[in-house]
Amino acid sequence: MSVTASHAPLLDTYARADVTFVSGEGSTLTDGEGRDYLDLLAGIAVVGLGHKHPAPLAAAQAQLERIWHVSNLYWTEPMARLADLLSERFGGAHAFFCNSGSEANEAALKYARKATGRTGIVALENSFHGRTMGALAATGQPSKRAPFAPLVPDVRFAKLNDTGSLADVVDEGTACILLEPVQGEGGVHPAAPHFLAKARELADAHGALLVFDEVQCGLGRTGSFFAWQARGVKPDAVTLAKALANGLPVGALLVSDAAPHGFAPGDHGSTFGGNPVACAAACAVVETLTDELLADVVRKGALLRARLERLPSVVEVRGAGLLLGVETDSVAAPLAAQALERGVVVGTAGERVLRVTPPLTITDDELEQALAILEEVLA
Ligand code: PLP
């Protein structure tokens, strides 16, 4: 096997580092030359339980031996079980399964339009909801949108944590308010509880659905199973993906049983949605996210934050749990490259922000080792 795949004929969509990872275990990644790295990115908040976690691994392996795929015209046990587990965590919801975060948000936008008979979408500046045309239309980052206009119409943007600006754009034509309880890609900016409460109030007052995109901040990442649980505002629907199957592709739209009905057969679908192998792994993930594990995410997040905040070139540390954005006084990409050189994988989220999203299972020793290296890089 070649050690580096850096000349493979891939379209130019990512600025990839010149490293080819060949295996992973827990919070350690190994490259083709046998060098180990501490993984503080976890595939951008995907490998929440760490690489090769025994629970989803065993569940996926067992399912691979049984059945890989049937059409969504029939039932499979893992899909039904995952819907049950997620409904229980949400407090009564029905699921639509797909393959990614973008697809989960597409489903949410279609659901909201169908359920309300309206077309308006309210989203936030600086948000990120995905790269497909509908999700991109609701993504409040002009540089990502501009090359692909015209996008889905009737989207209006408000400013995060500015209740007046939100009130200005929600009206009787609004099908849904879509927002991330903690913005990830846009630089790691948490929504204030009073802002979420205002979004709930406005959605109720105008008959719109409140949809939380928890693709990045959900599934234990911020220290509660759903990010909204720690912020006291329950949405009508939530989208999930990334960490749901610890690295196998799966996305989900959960709609509260109390929300207006939207979809009927034929309205929406996905050939691979609810894939039994991915769903079997996802069931194991959901069952592994215990209260004890979630409390440990909060503890480790606080520890990491306190240590990073002290570093001379750090301007601010934002986020919740183990979704942290470290704003620095210089451009972040070269800092991430230096960390990689020294054996720590870390991401970026915006020009001056390092994104730190380790596996939720990272040990204190591993955090210490990674911090020692980040302390050199951010000295
Ligand atoms: N929503 C949020 C909050 C995300 O962070 C992402 C991806 O980073 C997406 C949606 C899109 O997910 P995907 O890349 O799986 O389509």
Side-chain angles (χ1 to χ4, degrees):
M1 188 200 290
S2 73
V3 166
T4 174
S6 61
H7 300 298
L10 291 166
L11 285 174
D12 210 10
T13 54
Y14 286 92
R16 286 190 174 82
D18 196 14
V19 178
T20 302
F21 290 117
V22 296
S23 62
E25 181 143 12
S27 297
T28 302
L29 284 167
T30 305
D31 74 11
E33 288 166 337
R35 182 174 180 212
D36 287 343
Y37 301 74
L38 274 168
D39 187 4
L40 289 203
L41 189 60
I44 315 188
V46 168
V47 191
L49 299 181
H51 301 277
K52 253 172 73 182
H53 187 281
L57 177 64
Q61 278 176 340
Q63 187 59 40
L64 275 169
E65 297 291 338
R66 278 189 210 115
I67 191 162
W68 288 24
H69 176 81
V70 292
S71 160
N72 267 306
L73 296 169
Y74 310 95
W75 294 89
T76 64
E77 289 169 346
M79 175 179 67
R81 218 170 128 246
L82 181 59
D84 271 340
L85 289 171
L86 291 172
S87 172
E88 196 180 313
R89 293 280 191 150
F90 187 91
H94 280 61
F96 169 77
F97 292 120
C98 50
N99 312 287
S100 69
S102 301
E103 284 179 49
N105 286 327
E106 292 293 333
L109 298 177
K110 284 180 71 176
Y111 188 94
R113 281 190 165 186
K114 188 85 195 309
T116 62
R118 305 168 177 185
T119 55
I121 296 158
V122 167
L124 298 182
E125 289 176 10
N126 216 28
S127 61
F128 185 82
H129 298 296
R131 308 280 188 167
T132 53
M133 288 302 204
L136 185 61
T139 288
Q141 301 189 40
S143 64
K144 293 192 167 64
R145 302 154 48 85
F148 305 103
L151 297 168
V152 174
D154 218 358
V155 183
R156 289 193 273 180
F157 293 99
K159 288 191 192 330
L160 175 67
N161 293 338
D162 179 338
T163 51
S165 104
L166 187 62
D168 283 347
V169 292
V170 180
D171 61 23
E172 306 309 308
T174 306
C176 70
I177 304 173
L178 172 65
L179 61 87
E180 300 154 86
V182 181
Q183 287 188 344
E185 196 73 23
V188 189
H189 294 277
H194 80 272
F195 182 76
L196 296 177
K198 184 68 181 178
R200 177 73 275 171
E201 184 193 314
L202 287 166
D204 290 343
H206 293 280
L209 298 188
L210 180 62
V211 182
F212 285 169
D213 177 344
E214 296 215 4
V215 166
Q216 186 161 162
C217 64
L219 298 162
R221 177 54 52 191
T222 60
S224 48
F225 186 85
F226 296 109
W228 56 261
Q229 288 168 315
R231 288 161 182 81
V233 175
K234 189 171 183 177
D236 299 303
V238 65
T239 53
L240 301 171
K242 286 189 181 285
L244 185 49
N246 210 44
L248 289 180
V250 61
L253 164 67
L254 299 182
V255 180
S256 168
D257 290 343
H261 290 284
F263 289 157
D267 280 337
H268 199 52
S270 164
T271 292
F272 289 121
N275 171 269
V277 180
C279 285
C283 288
V285 168
V286 173
E287 285 173 331
T288 305
L289 290 174
T290 58
D291 288 348
E292 196 185 1
L293 190 149
L294 297 171
D296 209 37
V297 170
V298 175
R299 181 188 66 79
K300 287 183 288 199
L303 182 153
L304 200 49
R305 187 185 195 119
R307 291 281 293 279
L308 290 166
E309 266 167 359
R310 280 191 230 146
L311 302 182
S313 55
V314 171
V315 176
E316 188 185 19
V317 182
R318 296 186 293 266
L322 288 170
L323 171 53
L324 295 177
V326 183
E327 182 155 348
T328 62
D329 61 8
S330 63
V331 177
L335 298 173
Q338 284 172 40
L340 188 67
E341 274 290 295
R342 291 167 150 91
V344 169
V345 179
V346 70
T348 61
E351 208 200 338
R352 285 168 182 259
V353 181
L354 287 173
R355 177 164 23 188
V356 180
T357 55
L360 308 181
T361 51
I362 193 165
T363 65
D364 286 13
D365 274 357
E366 287 165 335
L367 278 178
E368 268 314 318
Q369 289 168 44
L371 275 164
I373 291 169
L374 289 182
E375 280 165 359
E376 283 169 30
V377 172
L378 298 170

